[in-house]
Amino acid sequence: MMLSIKRAASTTVRSITSSISSPTFSRNLHASGGRKKIVGVFYKGNEYASKNPNFVGTVEGALGIREWLESQGHEYIVTDDKEGPDSVLEKHLPDLHVLISTPFHPAYVTAERIKKAKNLELLLTAGIGSDHIDLNAAAAAGLTVAEVTGSNVVSVAEDELMRILILVRNFLPGYHQAVNGEWNVAGIAHRAYDLEGKTIGTVGAGRIGRLLLQRLKPFNCNLLYHDRLQLDPELENQLGAKYEEDLDAMLPKCDVLVINTPLTDKTRGLFDKNRIAKCKKGVLIVNNARGAIMDAQAVADASSSGHIAGYSGDVWFPQPAPKDHPWRYMPNHAMTPHISGTTIDAQLRYAAGVKDMLERHFKGEDFPEQHYIVKEGQLASQYR
């Protein structure tokens, strides 16, 4: 992901010989040793917290690391209260050392919050996707930002496949009929199709995008992908996917469009009114990437006009989504809260990844290179 660097002594020498007054030096000076204050921001499990011992991604579950952290002499504060000047998170900002959050209930770490957090050393994402953090501000402050790369890619890819089928087969009206005691086959079948033979395009072919293409291949679809970089020809052949260098040229070809690109300055609002108009009329869109990649009102308007025949995903902006968010009320949607990457299996993987990185941080050791989003003032390539 980023340029590799030498570890141990050479790293120390290079750091010391750089400007001692730099933010990077001052933030990383205390990155190991001593008692740390760690704050975790997760969603509440409420009445479901006790129903599964592996439900660790909640306030109550606390990633399963409370006993370990406290046995090491560290303080561990866990909350879901993250918004506003009177929130629990805001209260602990001035003296916390490590902040852990998740994409499912993100603690929005702004430049202003970074300035308040004078002792902050490390920002960890339990999962993948760290766009809830002002990465440029974090880099300027010399903070390390890392996530558990790969921890929930299978979970998200499987969920995307499910959503594609739900939209293509017009599943939800049938479910609602069953619940409401109705029986109207025509009300479902008039816009239900086979997936076979359809053209599916993914915007982004990273870890999740590639797994989705792999899972779609047995359905005998026409598979397209757009990305910054073309895949290796051998991998393209294995996936049965064709590279589309020009996004706007790919859009009118797609019966189904899946968003698999990270949220960056370049992709924020990527799908506005004009770009949506370039899609095929009646397109189905699945977005489990980030809500802010889409212009929310443009999506709602295109869904109401029928230009978008169905929209499904689990990502919104902001999160939790307000009750008046337009996607809640647009026709032919299959939206859910942000759940695709927080299966029990994924929780166990990202909890283990967080524990491993904390242990390395306390020892002053490097993380696996692919986990870094901001390191020594540099952003990972996908966020540049």
PDB file of all heavy atoms in Angstrom, residues 248 251-252 257 270-283 285 298-299 302 305 307-308:
ATOM      1  N   ASP A 248     -17.345   6.993 -17.553  1.00  0.00           N
ATOM      2  CA  ASP A 248     -18.559   7.469 -18.214  1.00  0.00           C
ATOM      3  C   ASP A 248     -18.928   6.614 -19.423  1.00  0.00           C
ATOM      4  O   ASP A 248     -20.109   6.509 -19.782  1.00  0.00           O
ATOM      5  CB  ASP A 248     -18.390   8.929 -18.630  1.00  0.00           C
ATOM      6  CG  ASP A 248     -18.378   9.871 -17.435  1.00  0.00           C
ATOM      7  OD1 ASP A 248     -18.861   9.467 -16.361  1.00  0.00           O
ATOM      8  OD2 ASP A 248     -17.869  10.999 -17.557  1.00  0.00           O
ATOM      9  N   LEU A 251     -20.770   3.358 -17.931  1.00  0.00           N
ATOM     10  CA  LEU A 251     -22.066   3.492 -17.263  1.00  0.00           C
ATOM     11  C   LEU A 251     -23.251   3.089 -18.135  1.00  0.00           C
ATOM     12  O   LEU A 251     -24.128   2.337 -17.672  1.00  0.00           O
ATOM     13  CB  LEU A 251     -22.239   4.925 -16.737  1.00  0.00           C
ATOM     14  CG  LEU A 251     -21.247   5.352 -15.649  1.00  0.00           C
ATOM     15  CD1 LEU A 251     -21.521   6.780 -15.214  1.00  0.00           C
ATOM     16  CD2 LEU A 251     -21.298   4.413 -14.459  1.00  0.00           C
ATOM     17  N   PRO A 252     -23.369   3.551 -19.384  1.00  0.00           N
ATOM     18  CA  PRO A 252     -24.557   3.185 -20.167  1.00  0.00           C
ATOM     19  C   PRO A 252     -24.607   1.721 -20.574  1.00  0.00           C
ATOM     20  O   PRO A 252     -25.639   1.253 -21.068  1.00  0.00           O
ATOM     21  CB  PRO A 252     -24.461   4.103 -21.398  1.00  0.00           C
ATOM     22  CG  PRO A 252     -23.041   4.498 -21.499  1.00  0.00           C
ATOM     23  CD  PRO A 252     -22.522   4.530 -20.098  1.00  0.00           C
ATOM     24  N   LEU A 257     -25.020  -1.615 -11.485  1.00  0.00           N
ATOM     25  CA  LEU A 257     -23.804  -0.893 -11.160  1.00  0.00           C
ATOM     26  C   LEU A 257     -23.534  -1.062  -9.668  1.00  0.00           C
ATOM     27  O   LEU A 257     -24.427  -0.850  -8.842  1.00  0.00           O
ATOM     28  CB  LEU A 257     -23.971   0.585 -11.497  1.00  0.00           C
ATOM     29  CG  LEU A 257     -22.727   1.475 -11.439  1.00  0.00           C
ATOM     30  CD1 LEU A 257     -21.725   1.063 -12.517  1.00  0.00           C
ATOM     31  CD2 LEU A 257     -23.117   2.940 -11.602  1.00  0.00           C
ATOM     32  N   LEU A 270     -19.172  11.786  -6.430  1.00  0.00           N
ATOM     33  CA  LEU A 270     -18.841  11.323  -7.782  1.00  0.00           C
ATOM     34  C   LEU A 270     -20.099  11.098  -8.621  1.00  0.00           C
ATOM     35  O   LEU A 270     -20.151  11.446  -9.801  1.00  0.00           O
ATOM     36  CB  LEU A 270     -18.022  10.027  -7.694  1.00  0.00           C
ATOM     37  CG  LEU A 270     -17.615   9.373  -9.012  1.00  0.00           C
ATOM     38  CD1 LEU A 270     -16.651  10.271  -9.783  1.00  0.00           C
ATOM     39  CD2 LEU A 270     -16.966   7.998  -8.739  1.00  0.00           C
ATOM     40  N   PHE A 271     -21.116  10.512  -7.991  1.00  0.00           N
ATOM     41  CA  PHE A 271     -22.364  10.256  -8.712  1.00  0.00           C
ATOM     42  C   PHE A 271     -23.367  11.364  -8.382  1.00  0.00           C
ATOM     43  O   PHE A 271     -24.204  11.241  -7.504  1.00  0.00           O
ATOM     44  CB  PHE A 271     -22.904   8.861  -8.377  1.00  0.00           C
ATOM     45  CG  PHE A 271     -22.197   7.785  -9.144  1.00  0.00           C
ATOM     46  CD1 PHE A 271     -20.990   7.275  -8.691  1.00  0.00           C
ATOM     47  CD2 PHE A 271     -22.701   7.323 -10.352  1.00  0.00           C
ATOM     48  CE1 PHE A 271     -20.306   6.309  -9.412  1.00  0.00           C
ATOM     49  CE2 PHE A 271     -22.035   6.357 -11.083  1.00  0.00           C
ATOM     50  CZ  PHE A 271     -20.831   5.846 -10.611  1.00  0.00           C
ATOM     51  N   ASP A 272     -23.225  12.446  -9.139  1.00  0.00           N
ATOM     52  CA  ASP A 272     -24.161  13.556  -9.040  1.00  0.00           C
ATOM     53  C   ASP A 272     -25.235  13.402 -10.110  1.00  0.00           C
ATOM     54  O   ASP A 272     -25.311  12.368 -10.798  1.00  0.00           O
ATOM     55  CB  ASP A 272     -23.426  14.890  -9.174  1.00  0.00           C
ATOM     56  CG  ASP A 272     -22.636  14.990 -10.487  1.00  0.00           C
ATOM     57  OD1 ASP A 272     -22.791  14.125 -11.376  1.00  0.00           O
ATOM     58  OD2 ASP A 272     -21.858  15.957 -10.617  1.00  0.00           O
ATOM     59  N   LYS A 273     -26.062  14.401 -10.257  1.00  0.00           N
ATOM     60  CA  LYS A 273     -27.165  14.346 -11.221  1.00  0.00           C
ATOM     61  C   LYS A 273     -26.672  14.065 -12.630  1.00  0.00           C
ATOM     62  O   LYS A 273     -27.255  13.236 -13.354  1.00  0.00           O
ATOM     63  CB  LYS A 273     -27.930  15.674 -11.175  1.00  0.00           C
ATOM     64  CG  LYS A 273     -29.086  15.770 -12.150  1.00  0.00           C
ATOM     65  CD  LYS A 273     -29.764  17.126 -12.037  1.00  0.00           C
ATOM     66  CE  LYS A 273     -30.905  17.255 -13.039  1.00  0.00           C
ATOM     67  NZ  LYS A 273     -31.568  18.589 -12.933  1.00  0.00           N
ATOM     68  N   ASN A 274     -25.585  14.709 -13.021  1.00  0.00           N
ATOM     69  CA  ASN A 274     -25.082  14.557 -14.385  1.00  0.00           C
ATOM     70  C   ASN A 274     -24.529  13.160 -14.644  1.00  0.00           C
ATOM     71  O   ASN A 274     -24.765  12.582 -15.707  1.00  0.00           O
ATOM     72  CB  ASN A 274     -24.003  15.604 -14.669  1.00  0.00           C
ATOM     73  CG  ASN A 274     -24.563  17.013 -14.696  1.00  0.00           C
ATOM     74  OD1 ASN A 274     -25.721  17.227 -15.034  1.00  0.00           O
ATOM     75  ND2 ASN A 274     -23.740  17.985 -14.314  1.00  0.00           N
ATOM     76  N   ARG A 275     -23.809  12.605 -13.676  1.00  0.00           N
ATOM     77  CA  ARG A 275     -23.234  11.277 -13.904  1.00  0.00           C
ATOM     78  C   ARG A 275     -24.323  10.209 -13.845  1.00  0.00           C
ATOM     79  O   ARG A 275     -24.283   9.234 -14.611  1.00  0.00           O
ATOM     80  CB  ARG A 275     -22.131  10.988 -12.894  1.00  0.00           C
ATOM     81  CG  ARG A 275     -21.468   9.637 -13.120  1.00  0.00           C
ATOM     82  CD  ARG A 275     -20.050   9.565 -12.612  1.00  0.00           C
ATOM     83  NE  ARG A 275     -19.085  10.074 -13.587  1.00  0.00           N
ATOM     84  CZ  ARG A 275     -18.309  11.124 -13.364  1.00  0.00           C
ATOM     85  NH1 ARG A 275     -18.416  11.802 -12.229  1.00  0.00           N
ATOM     86  NH2 ARG A 275     -17.448  11.515 -14.263  1.00  0.00           N
ATOM     87  N   ILE A 276     -25.294  10.364 -12.964  1.00  0.00           N
ATOM     88  CA  ILE A 276     -26.398   9.408 -12.916  1.00  0.00           C
ATOM     89  C   ILE A 276     -27.152   9.402 -14.231  1.00  0.00           C
ATOM     90  O   ILE A 276     -27.601   8.351 -14.718  1.00  0.00           O
ATOM     91  CB  ILE A 276     -27.330   9.736 -11.727  1.00  0.00           C
ATOM     92  CG1 ILE A 276     -26.631   9.429 -10.404  1.00  0.00           C
ATOM     93  CG2 ILE A 276     -28.635   8.947 -11.828  1.00  0.00           C
ATOM     94  CD1 ILE A 276     -27.361   9.916  -9.173  1.00  0.00           C
ATOM     95  N   ALA A 277     -27.267  10.570 -14.860  1.00  0.00           N
ATOM     96  CA  ALA A 277     -27.971  10.661 -16.151  1.00  0.00           C
ATOM     97  C   ALA A 277     -27.264   9.863 -17.239  1.00  0.00           C
ATOM     98  O   ALA A 277     -27.889   9.478 -18.239  1.00  0.00           O
ATOM     99  CB  ALA A 277     -28.098  12.121 -16.567  1.00  0.00           C
ATOM    100  N   LYS A 278     -25.966   9.593 -17.065  1.00  0.00           N
ATOM    101  CA  LYS A 278     -25.216   8.819 -18.055  1.00  0.00           C
ATOM    102  C   LYS A 278     -25.450   7.318 -17.912  1.00  0.00           C
ATOM    103  O   LYS A 278     -25.060   6.542 -18.799  1.00  0.00           O
ATOM    104  CB  LYS A 278     -23.724   9.140 -17.933  1.00  0.00           C
ATOM    105  CG  LYS A 278     -23.394  10.587 -18.282  1.00  0.00           C
ATOM    106  CD  LYS A 278     -21.921  10.908 -18.072  1.00  0.00           C
ATOM    107  CE  LYS A 278     -21.643  12.380 -18.395  1.00  0.00           C
ATOM    108  NZ  LYS A 278     -20.219  12.743 -18.191  1.00  0.00           N
ATOM    109  N   CYS A 279     -26.027   6.908 -16.800  1.00  0.00           N
ATOM    110  CA  CYS A 279     -26.343   5.492 -16.605  1.00  0.00           C
ATOM    111  C   CYS A 279     -27.513   5.088 -17.500  1.00  0.00           C
ATOM    112  O   CYS A 279     -28.333   5.915 -17.893  1.00  0.00           O
ATOM    113  CB  CYS A 279     -26.704   5.218 -15.146  1.00  0.00           C
ATOM    114  SG  CYS A 279     -25.384   5.500 -13.962  1.00  0.00           S
ATOM    115  N   LYS A 280     -27.580   3.797 -17.778  1.00  0.00           N
ATOM    116  CA  LYS A 280     -28.696   3.264 -18.551  1.00  0.00           C
ATOM    117  C   LYS A 280     -30.008   3.519 -17.818  1.00  0.00           C
ATOM    118  O   LYS A 280     -30.072   3.365 -16.587  1.00  0.00           O
ATOM    119  CB  LYS A 280     -28.491   1.762 -18.752  1.00  0.00           C
ATOM    120  CG  LYS A 280     -29.606   1.062 -19.502  1.00  0.00           C
ATOM    121  CD  LYS A 280     -29.393  -0.439 -19.566  1.00  0.00           C
ATOM    122  CE  LYS A 280     -28.256  -0.807 -20.483  1.00  0.00           C
ATOM    123  NZ  LYS A 280     -28.194  -2.278 -20.719  1.00  0.00           N
ATOM    124  N   LYS A 281     -31.039   3.904 -18.539  1.00  0.00           N
ATOM    125  CA  LYS A 281     -32.355   4.090 -17.909  1.00  0.00           C
ATOM    126  C   LYS A 281     -32.820   2.743 -17.358  1.00  0.00           C
ATOM    127  O   LYS A 281     -32.801   1.731 -18.050  1.00  0.00           O
ATOM    128  CB  LYS A 281     -33.370   4.628 -18.910  1.00  0.00           C
ATOM    129  CG  LYS A 281     -34.747   4.874 -18.296  1.00  0.00           C
ATOM    130  CD  LYS A 281     -35.689   5.536 -19.279  1.00  0.00           C
ATOM    131  CE  LYS A 281     -37.112   5.619 -18.724  1.00  0.00           C
ATOM    132  NZ  LYS A 281     -37.171   6.347 -17.443  1.00  0.00           N
ATOM    133  N   GLY A 282     -33.236   2.744 -16.089  1.00  0.00           N
ATOM    134  CA  GLY A 282     -33.634   1.500 -15.440  1.00  0.00           C
ATOM    135  C   GLY A 282     -32.499   0.772 -14.752  1.00  0.00           C
ATOM    136  O   GLY A 282     -32.651  -0.387 -14.358  1.00  0.00           O
ATOM    137  N   VAL A 283     -31.359   1.442 -14.579  1.00  0.00           N
ATOM    138  CA  VAL A 283     -30.210   0.821 -13.930  1.00  0.00           C
ATOM    139  C   VAL A 283     -30.536   0.461 -12.482  1.00  0.00           C
ATOM    140  O   VAL A 283     -31.340   1.134 -11.813  1.00  0.00           O
ATOM    141  CB  VAL A 283     -28.984   1.767 -13.985  1.00  0.00           C
ATOM    142  CG1 VAL A 283     -29.203   3.011 -13.120  1.00  0.00           C
ATOM    143  CG2 VAL A 283     -27.702   1.043 -13.559  1.00  0.00           C
ATOM    144  N   ILE A 285     -28.624  -0.046  -8.824  1.00  0.00           N
ATOM    145  CA  ILE A 285     -27.372   0.375  -8.194  1.00  0.00           C
ATOM    146  C   ILE A 285     -27.265  -0.218  -6.794  1.00  0.00           C
ATOM    147  O   ILE A 285     -28.218  -0.159  -6.008  1.00  0.00           O
ATOM    148  CB  ILE A 285     -27.282   1.918  -8.117  1.00  0.00           C
ATOM    149  CG1 ILE A 285     -27.286   2.525  -9.523  1.00  0.00           C
ATOM    150  CG2 ILE A 285     -26.015   2.340  -7.367  1.00  0.00           C
ATOM    151  CD1 ILE A 285     -27.236   4.046  -9.542  1.00  0.00           C
ATOM    152  N   ALA A 298     -29.916  13.542  -5.637  1.00  0.00           N
ATOM    153  CA  ALA A 298     -29.908  13.122  -7.040  1.00  0.00           C
ATOM    154  C   ALA A 298     -30.328  11.661  -7.169  1.00  0.00           C
ATOM    155  O   ALA A 298     -31.048  11.298  -8.110  1.00  0.00           O
ATOM    156  CB  ALA A 298     -28.523  13.340  -7.643  1.00  0.00           C
ATOM    157  N   VAL A 299     -29.878  10.823  -6.245  1.00  0.00           N
ATOM    158  CA  VAL A 299     -30.284   9.416  -6.250  1.00  0.00           C
ATOM    159  C   VAL A 299     -31.790   9.294  -6.011  1.00  0.00           C
ATOM    160  O   VAL A 299     -32.491   8.547  -6.706  1.00  0.00           O
ATOM    161  CB  VAL A 299     -29.512   8.618  -5.188  1.00  0.00           C
ATOM    162  CG1 VAL A 299     -30.120   7.229  -5.001  1.00  0.00           C
ATOM    163  CG2 VAL A 299     -28.040   8.506  -5.568  1.00  0.00           C
ATOM    164  N   ALA A 302     -33.694  10.489  -9.137  1.00  0.00           N
ATOM    165  CA  ALA A 302     -33.596   9.527 -10.240  1.00  0.00           C
ATOM    166  C   ALA A 302     -34.397   8.261  -9.945  1.00  0.00           C
ATOM    167  O   ALA A 302     -34.931   7.629 -10.863  1.00  0.00           O
ATOM    168  CB  ALA A 302     -32.132   9.179 -10.503  1.00  0.00           C
ATOM    169  N   SER A 305     -38.064   9.197 -10.651  1.00  0.00           N
ATOM    170  CA  SER A 305     -38.361   9.322 -12.081  1.00  0.00           C
ATOM    171  C   SER A 305     -38.303   7.990 -12.810  1.00  0.00           C
ATOM    172  O   SER A 305     -38.789   7.872 -13.941  1.00  0.00           O
ATOM    173  CB  SER A 305     -37.374  10.288 -12.739  1.00  0.00           C
ATOM    174  OG  SER A 305     -36.080   9.699 -12.847  1.00  0.00           O
ATOM    175  N   HIS A 307     -35.413   6.545 -13.604  1.00  0.00           N
ATOM    176  CA  HIS A 307     -34.109   6.392 -14.257  1.00  0.00           C
ATOM    177  C   HIS A 307     -33.270   5.362 -13.492  1.00  0.00           C
ATOM    178  O   HIS A 307     -32.578   4.547 -14.106  1.00  0.00           O
ATOM    179  CB  HIS A 307     -33.373   7.731 -14.329  1.00  0.00           C
ATOM    180  CG  HIS A 307     -32.167   7.683 -15.219  1.00  0.00           C
ATOM    181  ND1 HIS A 307     -32.255   7.785 -16.592  1.00  0.00           N
ATOM    182  CD2 HIS A 307     -30.847   7.513 -14.949  1.00  0.00           C
ATOM    183  CE1 HIS A 307     -31.051   7.689 -17.126  1.00  0.00           C
ATOM    184  NE2 HIS A 307     -30.172   7.530 -16.129  1.00  0.00           N
ATOM    185  N   ILE A 308     -33.310   5.420 -12.157  1.00  0.00           N
ATOM    186  CA  ILE A 308     -32.790   4.333 -11.324  1.00  0.00           C
ATOM    187  C   ILE A 308     -33.980   3.450 -10.960  1.00  0.00           C
ATOM    188  O   ILE A 308     -34.925   3.905 -10.320  1.00  0.00           O
ATOM    189  CB  ILE A 308     -32.114   4.871 -10.048  1.00  0.00           C
ATOM    190  CG1 ILE A 308     -30.874   5.682 -10.391  1.00  0.00           C
ATOM    191  CG2 ILE A 308     -31.737   3.711  -9.120  1.00  0.00           C
ATOM    192  CD1 ILE A 308     -30.188   6.323  -9.183  1.00  0.00           C
TER     193      ILE A 308
END
